[in-house]
Structure formats: C-alpha cells, structure tokens
Amino acid sequence: MNTIKVLIADDHSIVMEGLQVVLSAEEELEVVGTVLNGEEVMIFVARHEVDVVVLDINMPVMDGITCARKLKKEYPGIKIIILTMYAQRSFVDEIVKIGIDGCLLKNNTGKELTTAIFRVMNGSQYYDRLKNFNSSEEEIKQYKLSARELDVIKLVAEGLTSQEIADQLFISELTVQTHRRNVMRKLDLKNSVQVVQFAKDNELI
C-alpha cells in the first residue's frame, strides 16, 4: 500500500514539530516536507509528489488562503487541510467556496489531523468541529477580549494610528500599544493587517 505523502506549512517551529511527531506515528502517512509559507509550498509541490498539504492560515510571504487558491487552480488533485485559530461563519463559507477539503482549529489538532487526512483522501470533506456555528458575538467572547481591546481592534481596522486611537479613547499611546500586543497574542495574529481581517470576519467594522 502506498503511503499518503503529506506536506506541512507552518511558520511556528513548535507547531510544525508537533504535527510531524503525530503524523509520523501513522504507518500510512509520510511527511515528505515542511515549509514556512505558501510561496515555499508552491515551489515544493512543483518538484515533489504530494497528496495532502496541511496549511496554517496565517503565514508570511503568502498566507494559507492565497496558497490554497493557487493549489486548487494549479494542482487540483492535491488535498488541502487548513489550520486556523478561529473559524467565524464567513471564513468557513469562504474556504468551502474555494474547495478546501478540510479545516481544523489549531487547538484540536493532533490525532484529529490524521483522521482528517484519511477522510479527505477518501474523497470526503472534514469540517467536524466547525458544524455548530455561534453568532459573531458568542465567538468573540471565547477569545476573552476586553471591551477596551475590542475598541482598539475597531479603530485599528479603521486605519487609525496608535496616537490617534489614544486621543480618541483618552488613554496614553503606550496603553494603546499594550492593548494591541495583547490582542495579537490572544488571537495569534502577527500584524495590523491580520487584525483588520479579524475585524471584518467578525463584523466589527
């Protein structure tokens, strides 16, 4: 029986190593490579045989969604499983429309990932943990964001600088910068562009 060849794309080395350990425990699976972003995925699949690509959604250079679109267009036979920290309804609707085969929340990966891989290789989709959607308000609560942090997210999404946000909220610029760091840590985001996307996905703007 041929092994299923898996490529992992994630810019967090700890996450990548953990996924490798889990997948390597399955005789039917072979991790044929690990890369740091979507651009490296496209280079790798052009040179090697790959059955499944496991994509982190937030990566530098080329993010998971952009990479998934290119893969589906150029290599429609490759199965794609997206890993994400959150899955608001509009986000899931978008990845289903693209044709992504599966999606897992990052805190549910592990043994579930092997199940997802076998499922998509059998021609089915894997969205098990995402079937019951909450409202945007309920989903936001799970991130334990404070009211002030939500204010900052909205103003960042409107394009305001830290000083402009400070002036509008009557707090110091240093306090705004602290809120921004806390927001990115809680949401596992890397920059303001991703904060803006989070605001859009959760209908904060």
Side-chain angles (χ1 to χ4, degrees):
M1 175 180 171
N2 294 330
T3 57
I4 298 170
K5 296 175 173 57
V6 183
L7 173 64
I8 302 172
D10 197 305
D11 63 323
H12 293 89
S13 59
I14 294 177
V15 174
M16 191 184 298
E17 289 168 7
L19 295 178
Q20 279 186 275
V21 170
V22 170
L23 298 183
S24 297
E26 296 286 338
E27 291 184 4
E28 298 92 340
L29 302 179
E30 177 188 0
V31 178
V32 293
T34 58
V35 296
L36 300 175
N37 57 64
E39 187 173 280
E40 292 182 8
V41 169
M42 300 307 299
I43 293 171
F44 190 95
V45 299
R47 299 174 179 173
H48 304 85
E49 183 181 350
V50 176
D51 298 309
V52 180
V53 177
V54 178
L55 284 173
D56 180 23
I57 191 170
N58 291 321
M59 297 183 293
V61 185
M62 184 189 294
D63 63 81
I65 292 296
T66 302
C67 180
R69 285 197 182 97
K70 289 177 71 67
L71 282 172
K72 282 299 179 184
K73 182 178 179 180
E74 298 178 26
Y75 303 93
I78 294 178
K79 304 296 184 181
I80 302 172
I81 296 175
I82 285 280
L83 304 180
T84 181
M85 286 296 293
Y86 62 94
Q88 203 264 342
R89 182 188 294 272
S90 59
F91 164 76
V92 178
D93 288 344
E94 180 181 3
I95 63 176
V96 169
K97 188 182 299 182
I98 293 170
I100 291 171
D101 304 280
C103 182
L104 279 71
L105 295 175
K106 266 195 169 182
N107 57 0
N108 289 328
T109 54
K111 186 63 179 177
E112 187 183 0
L113 178 57
T114 64
T115 301
I117 290 173
F118 291 131
R119 178 90 62 82
V120 300
M121 285 302 296
N122 284 328
S124 300
Q125 292 183 323
Y126 190 94
Y127 289 86
D128 287 18
R129 301 275 182 157
L130 311 180
K131 287 180 178 176
N132 298 317
F133 297 100
N134 297 319
S135 66
S136 294
E137 183 178 352
E138 290 171 331
E139 287 171 345
I140 289 171
K141 286 179 181 177
Q142 71 178 305
Y143 307 123
K144 296 182 170 58
L145 295 168
S146 69
R148 183 60 85 195
E149 287 167 348
L150 286 172
D151 290 337
V152 170
I153 289 174
K154 293 174 185 177
L155 294 174
V156 168
E158 290 175 11
L160 274 65
T161 65
S162 291
Q163 185 58 63
E164 290 169 337
I165 293 171
D167 293 342
Q168 186 154 332
L169 297 179
F170 303 103
I171 56 179
S172 71
E173 184 179 6
L174 180 60
T175 299
V176 172
Q177 291 171 349
T178 299
H179 285 316
R180 293 179 73 146
R181 284 195 299 272
N182 289 340
V183 163
M184 288 190 281
R185 174 180 55 79
K186 289 180 180 181
L187 300 177
D188 191 33
L189 303 178
K190 300 179 180 66
N191 52 50
S192 296
V193 173
Q194 293 179 359
V195 172
V196 172
Q197 188 61 53
F198 175 86
K200 290 179 179 177
D201 289 344
N202 287 278
E203 300 174 357
L204 297 177
I205 55 174

